[in-house]
Amino acid sequence: MSSALHEQPYLENWRWMSRQIRCAMDPDEPRLIEHYLAEGRYLACCTANSPWTIAETSFRLLLDTAADVALPWHWRTFCLDQAWRPLRELERLSLCKCRLKRWQSYTWQLATCELQPSIPLTELVQGFSDEQDSY
């Protein structure tokens, strides 16, 4: 069996978990983030996937999810609280000046991230109804 065939199910599972996180499909299941990060660590160490790319993608996913005001507040804050984990891995992998600059930029983004309040569910539903009425 080729390496690519062996890693494909893990990569697909990791991508599926990223969609679940990004869309807050199960916002009361914080262990999903731990599973996602563990799957990323496996991909980084045991497959041909770049460890830097895995960590960078994980960091961006968590920070972007935290900033999404359409998602529940508790899910967003949990994602923000976990963003340091892939950032720590990026620091370890910052072996050249260009990566070190990117890591510093990400560190600044995390340090200065201010979450806006989430949009209340009633406003989301109400906004959807208003759009439907205009058609």
Side-chain angles (χ1 to χ4, degrees), residues 99-113:
R99 283 189 175 177
L100 184 59
K101 283 185 178 242
R102 282 172 58 186
W103 173 77
Q104 290 170 334
S105 170
Y106 292 148
T107 301
W108 180 253
Q109 288 174 38
L110 182 59
T112 59
C113 180

Side-chain angles (χ1 to χ4, degrees), residues 33-61:
I33 293 174
E34 175 55 41
H35 294 307
Y36 170 76
L37 295 174
E39 196 82 3
R41 286 190 300 272
Y42 173 81
L43 288 169
C45 79
C46 302
T47 69
N49 291 283
S50 161
W52 176 270
T53 301
I54 297 291
E56 187 176 39
T57 301
S58 299
F59 174 74
R60 290 293 344 147
L61 171 78

